[in-house]
Amino acid sequence: MRTQFYDIIGDIHGHADALDALLQKLGYVFREGVYQHNQHKVIFLGDFIDRGPQQREVIQLVKPMIEQGYALSVMGNHEFNAICYATLGQDGKPLRAHDAKNNKQHEAFLAAYPDIDERLQIINWFKTLPVYIDTGGIRVIHASWNEKALHEISTLLDVKQCLIGNVYEKCSEKDSAPYRAIETLLKGPEVVLPDGVTFTDKDGHIRSVARIKWWTPAHHELKERLHLGAELTSDHKLADMTLDSGHNYPQTNKPAFIGHYWMNEEIPKPLSHNCACLDYSIAKGGKLVAYKWRGEK
Ligand SMILES: [Mn+2]
């Protein structure tokens, strides 16, 4: 049997015109209401919604592609959040609080779907997006491939790797094991820095928690393995710090594709020998990016 080739597309965040242009550039043809290709399939990395001006238009493009077998997709943290925002827990409160910060983050989607029944149809469709895809040749997940976290939630997934309908409450309980696992898989692993060590992020916030470049080999220096975008106030204490051994991706593993990390380099390139991020910040003036996978290891 011939290997199925894939075009893997990064976070779209409500930018349908860019998606339209990219699909055409990749050779997809719009026929009978859906973009299709007779040889290749798309894999989306999730984060279809929030931020951009074309929330409905993006859903109208991607949903038929997935339903008719021209594309696959994993769930992004924005779809996970949207489900929790729309779901009540046993205490009658939404699983994701309707506070000012969350409302703001979700406002473009909420405004695009004012009709509650229609919105819930989309939310129910989000629940059909798997947490990860392993095609045999490649692995796809929104933020990080982490064996321990995948094992942690393995009993909460159905045969298609979708979260089972009633586990969203369990996955929303702060500091529970499933919550931490979902955080790692859909938002990426973070580490608390030693006392007194901080950095200032691009929004000017002083931060004491750093993202881990889990795709870097474990033998690299710890400082090289933190995703900061800024200098640390002091790094002498980092010598005492260790990272969980699960936070690396061995070079012998099959290729892994992720989104989520708001890359902003002018020329996209892989993060490592066998890992590529395809989120190039379309929602912050960047571009929508695809990787044409043609069987390479
Ligand atoms: Mn994301």
Side-chain angles (χ1 to χ4, degrees):
M1 202 178 73
R2 216 190 47 167
T3 307
Q4 173 70 55
F5 294 156
Y6 295 102
D7 299 312
I8 307 143
I9 296 180
D11 310 30
I12 300 162
H13 283 307
H15 286 264
D17 290 345
L19 177 59
D20 202 80
L22 182 58
L23 287 168
Q24 289 185 35
K25 191 168 183 176
L26 289 165
Y28 289 73
V29 178
F30 195 74
R31 201 182 293 139
E32 291 165 24
V34 60
Y35 268 109
Q36 43 190 286
H37 197 293
N38 57 16
Q39 294 171 54
H40 308 155
K41 286 186 188 189
V42 165
I43 303 183
F44 293 111
L45 284 162
D47 278 8
F48 297 122
I49 60 160
D50 294 336
R51 297 198 167 99
Q54 299 170 301
Q55 303 286 311
R56 294 180 74 93
E57 292 83 349
V58 168
I59 299 292
Q60 281 160 6
L61 280 179
V62 301
K63 191 164 170 279
M65 286 184 78
I66 295 167
E67 287 173 342
Q68 295 178 43
Y70 298 109
L72 307 167
S73 180
V74 291
M75 179 184 283
N77 59 309
H78 284 260
E79 284 77 42
F80 179 84
N81 287 347
I83 295 166
C84 294
Y85 190 95
T87 306
L88 298 181
Q90 286 181 10
D91 61 2
K93 291 180 186 162
L95 299 181
R96 182 170 170 83
H98 293 193
D99 61 22
K101 178 177 154 282
N102 293 345
N103 291 344
K104 179 102 184 103
Q105 193 183 66
H106 204 30
E107 66 184 351
F109 177 78
L110 296 174
Y113 289 97
D115 182 87
I116 301 297
D117 291 335
E118 192 192 14
R119 190 189 301 163
L120 285 179
Q121 279 178 26
I122 303 300
I123 296 291
N124 282 329
W125 176 69
F126 289 162
K127 293 181 185 173
T128 68
L129 302 174
V131 172
Y132 69 92
I133 292 171
D134 187 332
T135 68
I138 56 173
R139 290 165 167 174
V140 180
I141 195 159
H142 186 64
S144 91
W145 190 273
N146 184 291
E147 297 291 347
K148 207 168 134 188
L150 287 170
H151 179 75
E152 181 61 51
I153 60 156
S154 59
T155 58
L156 309 181
L157 301 178
D158 66 17
V159 290
K160 293 177 169 173
Q161 285 79 48
C162 301
L163 287 164
I164 297 164
N166 60 1
V167 303
Y168 284 89
E169 180 152 24
K170 201 179 278 185
C171 293
S172 303
E173 282 164 21
K174 276 230 158 84
D175 299 324
S176 70
Y179 172 87
R180 286 199 307 269
I182 290 292
E183 288 272 306
T184 295
L185 298 168
L186 301 192
K187 300 180 189 175
E190 296 187 325
V191 63
V192 178
L193 296 169
D195 261 355
V197 180
T198 59
F199 66 99
T200 306
D201 73 15
K202 58 184 181 312
D203 299 322
H205 299 126
I206 296 175
R207 306 206 34 151
S208 57
V209 176
R211 282 181 164 181
I212 300 166
K213 294 183 191 173
W214 56 269
W215 52 85
T216 51
H219 65 264
H220 280 201
E221 232 188 291
L222 189 59
K223 211 170 98 180
E224 307 295 316
R225 306 199 61 220
L226 301 178
H227 189 71
L228 303 170
E231 286 298 308
L232 290 166
T233 48
S234 70
D235 55 28
H236 65 280
K237 287 184 183 164
L238 290 189
D240 306 330
M241 208 174 98
T242 51
L243 291 181
D244 191 307
S245 61
H247 295 317
N248 75 87
Y249 196 71
Q251 290 216 347
T252 48
N253 282 6
K254 59 183 94 168
F257 294 93
I258 56 165
H260 188 67
Y261 282 90
W262 298 106
M263 310 295 287
N264 55 17
E265 287 74 4
E266 187 53 33
I267 310 290
K269 64 173 190 347
L271 295 167
S272 73
H273 171 73
N274 56 349
C275 184
C277 175
L278 304 174
D279 176 10
Y280 277 76
S281 308
I282 180 75
K284 294 182 186 170
K287 50 192 160 245
L288 191 65
V289 165
Y291 185 103
K292 299 201 276 186
W293 184 75
R294 299 295 181 259
E296 64 275 17
K297 294 187 167 69

